[in-house]
Amino acid sequence: MLTVHHLNQSRSQRILWALEELGVPYQIVRYQREKTMLAPESLKKIHPLGKSPVVEDNGLIIAESGAILEYLQETYDPEHRFAPQTGKSKQDYRFWLHYAEGSLMPLLLMKLIMTRLGKPPVPFGVRSVGKLLASGVEKTFLNRQLETHARFIEAELAQHSWFTGNQLSMADIQMSFPVFALLARGGVDDLPNLRAWKKRVEMRPAWQRAIVQGGPVDFPDG
């Protein structure tokens, strides 16, 4: 049986959602974040990077969300329900699979780091400097970038219900984590299409089953 090495409050929630959509049986090995919010060292026994998600299937150990989702689609979706096969939708599918982690998620991770520079575990003596530095980076660079990305995604979702058309694909599953984070802590208002997409995701039975299996994913401001 396929095994998902699942870290709480992490991107591995996407893999559980994909498996629930595909109807593929799986088992979960659960890991809890340390107080530092880092993954436990025990994950390095599964993959040298010590990150989650990682899946084991038929002797393969696969890391990275995009690679895992592509593997699941190619292996367990013979009818191609979750991957467009022709035309612009196919190219859009490829784009969003890479964009999620290559362009959007680094900005959101930077945003999270900036909000924590003025808080523990940053040493008390440098918190005020850290907070001042974070404010400058956010104001001059980060907030503008997130605004640009949010408006781009909002315009794309004005054209159709899902990221590659009118049918859910693995691209939507890949985009779920950064979009939820963007809406929670991106600081961008007036995004009705993004919020409607999020609601469609949350209404899917497979998403709801994945939350039961993996636990809720919260996106605090810092």
Side-chain angles (χ1 to χ4, degrees):
M1 180 182 291
L2 187 149
T3 299
V4 181
H5 293 273
H6 173 68
L7 178 67
N8 70 303
Q9 295 279 10
S10 80
R11 296 162 170 88
S12 60
Q13 190 68 38
R14 294 183 290 199
I15 307 308
L16 302 182
W17 179 21
L19 289 166
E20 291 291 344
E21 292 283 359
L22 290 164
V24 175
Y26 63 93
Q27 61 184 358
I28 302 176
V29 178
R30 303 177 191 276
Y31 302 81
Q32 293 293 314
R33 290 185 182 276
E34 306 286 357
K35 291 182 179 179
T36 60
M37 293 305 293
L38 296 176
E41 286 291 311
S42 55
L43 259 173
K44 290 186 176 179
K45 296 177 182 179
I46 309 303
H47 190 278
L49 292 178
K51 302 291 185 181
S52 177
V54 176
V55 302
E56 295 182 73
D57 190 35
N58 294 319
L60 295 174
I61 297 178
I62 310 167
E64 289 293 334
S65 296
I68 293 169
L69 291 175
E70 286 190 281
Y71 170 80
L72 293 178
Q73 189 281 315
E74 292 168 0
T75 306
Y76 294 106
D77 181 26
E79 297 178 352
H80 304 293
R81 292 182 298 137
F82 298 100
Q85 296 298 297
T86 59
K88 185 178 183 298
S89 293
K90 183 178 180 179
Q91 181 57 38
D92 288 344
Y93 175 77
R94 183 180 292 115
F95 171 80
W96 294 114
L97 277 176
H98 291 276
Y99 168 85
E101 294 293 329
S103 293
L104 183 55
M105 201 61 214
L107 294 170
L108 292 163
L109 180 58
M110 189 183 302
K111 178 81 169 181
L112 180 60
I113 292 171
M114 290 297 109
T115 61
R116 292 182 175 179
L117 285 181
K119 304 175 183 179
V122 174
F124 178 79
V126 297
R127 286 178 199 167
S128 59
V129 176
K131 187 175 182 179
L132 185 63
L133 173 64
S135 177
V137 171
E138 288 183 311
K139 183 178 294 185
T140 60
F141 169 73
L142 196 50
N143 291 344
R144 294 180 183 180
Q145 286 292 310
L146 287 171
E147 175 89 19
T148 297
H149 283 263
R151 299 301 172 203
F152 166 66
I153 301 169
E154 176 73 7
E156 290 293 312
L157 286 175
Q159 301 177 45
H160 31 65
S161 299
W162 302 100
F163 276 97
T164 61
N166 293 317
Q167 182 174 332
L168 178 85
S169 75
M170 290 295 179
D172 294 279
I173 295 176
Q174 176 75 333
M175 284 292 293
S176 61
F177 194 91
V179 167
F180 275 51
L182 177 64
L183 290 173
R185 59 174 180 245
V188 183
D189 297 323
D190 190 25
L191 299 170
N193 297 321
L194 269 169
R195 296 191 183 281
W197 175 89
K198 179 176 181 285
K199 187 174 182 179
R200 284 192 291 275
V201 168
E202 293 173 329
M203 291 176 62
R204 293 188 70 85
W207 168 269
Q208 296 167 11
R209 291 194 300 270
I211 292 297
V212 171
Q213 292 295 324
V217 179
D218 299 318
F219 295 93
D221 293 334

